[in-house]
Amino acid sequence: TISLTYVTGVSLSWEGGLGDGDSTSDMSVSLLAVFASPVSGVRASDFIVDGGVISGFTETTPGVAFTVQLQLGLSGSVSCSMAAGSGSITPANTAATAITLTYAPSVALSLSDSLASGDTTSLQVVTVTASFASSVAGVSTSDLSVGGGVAGSVTPMSSTVYTWEVSMDGSSPLTVSMGAGSGGVTPANAASGVVTLVYSPTVVVSLLGGLTSGDSTSERSVTAVLQFASAVSGVVSGDLVVSGGSVDGAVVAEAGGVEYRVTVLISGASSSVSMSVPAGGGGGGGVTPACAASNVVTLVYTPSVALSWGGSLGDGDTTSASTVQLVATFGSVVSGVSASDFVVVGGVVDGSSLVSSSG
């Protein structure tokens, strides 16, 4: 009498286009077990899994093909095998060669202050958050690649969420990313996307000489100060847009590219004067990096007026003349002057004698 014990072969493979030894960022994967001949008694517990947890088991072809769903995230190294004569499989199976995967958790970068990648901001410091798909360890400051800025120390918010304070260095744009297998991150992560921000420094316009926006002035010339949040270049006098006046002369740079001064001549043709810097500047867009729009400074122009006696009379003199001439000299051209505008004590204004010599 001779006899044989028949054992059926079994092969394991990953589904979803994955091959043995591949890397994946998917937290849920499935594998297919195919027996050489029909068997019975196959259970999820027959599969030996390391680095993952079985989350589902389906008999896809009766007695021949079985699908196992795995949940990853426990480790970067994942393997699955089946021992010979496993469990109650009938007829008994041969051992299945182990198949492996490398799990690399995905990581998404986001920005604080409702900012999205590609936005323009005047903030000098932003918070960058890295959200990993599963728990990781070993995240450090150097794992974040930054261009146009400097990352501070990393702050772990949880085992999956980490934040950095990133300071703009004044160049544009800011770029932030995290490379695959960055530094000592465990398990090694997949590469993130690149987050970008265009930095646009703020600029505040103010006035010298004790003037503030909304004040009245009789001066025909004032000095405007352009104060940028960080150093810029390419500023010209035309970057300050003036209504009711004009810029006089070239811009004067002060304080290492942060402060600039411009002389503004008030035309006198209107009582309303305003000045501001539009986004990017008003002189052709040469401000680098392009600035945000400034505040608007306004002034109310009230021309000065000086009174003097006509002829050779001076203030405080004595005269025996019954008629004298009064001269009113305005700081700029005005209209609508009438005899009633003059308040006279000890005399009467002769309205018919009012003469405008130069407006």
Side-chain angles (χ1 to χ4, degrees), residues 193-205:
V194 179
V195 172
T196 64
L197 278 178
V198 176
Y199 174 60
S200 182
T202 57
V203 55
V204 177
V205 179

Side-chain angles (χ1 to χ4, degrees), residues 42 53 75 104 119 176 197 213 321 356:
V42 180
V53 176
S75 168
D119 282 355
V176 183
L197 278 178
S213 183
S356 173

